[in-house]
Amino acid sequence: MEIKRLHVGKRLSETAIHNGTVYLAGQIAEDTSQDIVGQTREVLGHVDRLLQEAGSDKTRILSAQIYIATMADFPGMNSVWDEWVAQGHTPPRATVEAKLANPACLVEVVIVAAQA
């Protein structure tokens, strides 16, 4: 089975596709001056773009892992997630507090989805 990789870099690929399953690397905000609401919106925009490019969308998400720098930001992150997620297609999800590699990043989202 072929493995297709998109946006391949020295350290990681943004997307890997295998056997009809799309795996996204952890998505973070580029504009880290934003608060949790702004960063979460930006990150979910990256998710939308990468899924579309891989022949999928948010209704086909199989699992989501969300890492936030502090649980104090949980309500703000959830407010954006709840507006974004496709009702009736809410995926299994885990959200944990984690020390992220870049201290300016408040949220990182990892997605696995099925291709359309």
Side-chain angles (χ1 to χ4, degrees):
M1 296 254 162
E2 177 189 0
I3 298 173
K4 183 177 181 180
R5 299 179 198 281
L6 306 175
H7 306 287
V8 178
K10 181 179 177 181
R11 181 164 291 143
L12 60 87
S13 296
E14 289 293 337
T15 307
I17 305 166
H18 178 259
N19 201 25
T21 304
V22 179
Y23 303 87
L24 300 186
Q27 297 302 302
I28 58 173
E30 294 173 18
D31 181 0
T32 57
S33 68
Q34 301 178 87
D35 65 4
I36 189 65
V37 169
Q39 285 195 28
T40 303
R41 278 195 183 112
E42 181 181 338
V43 166
L44 295 177
H46 295 320
V47 168
D48 281 333
R49 175 181 51 81
L50 291 168
L51 288 176
Q52 180 181 27
E53 186 177 36
S56 187
D57 63 56
K58 64 186 171 187
T59 68
R60 303 195 52 85
I61 295 174
L62 300 171
S63 70
Q65 297 174 5
I66 302 173
Y67 303 93
I68 56 178
T70 174
M71 289 307 283
D73 284 340
F74 189 65
M77 181 279 299
N78 267 334
S79 70
V80 177
W81 175 270
D82 291 345
E83 291 174 6
W84 175 83
V85 74
Q87 293 306 307
H89 300 278
T90 51
R93 185 185 103 169
T95 305
V96 298
E97 182 178 88
K99 185 175 182 178
L100 301 177
N102 178 347
C105 291
L106 303 177
V107 61
E108 183 168 351
V109 178
V110 179
I111 297 290
V112 177
Q115 283 185 307

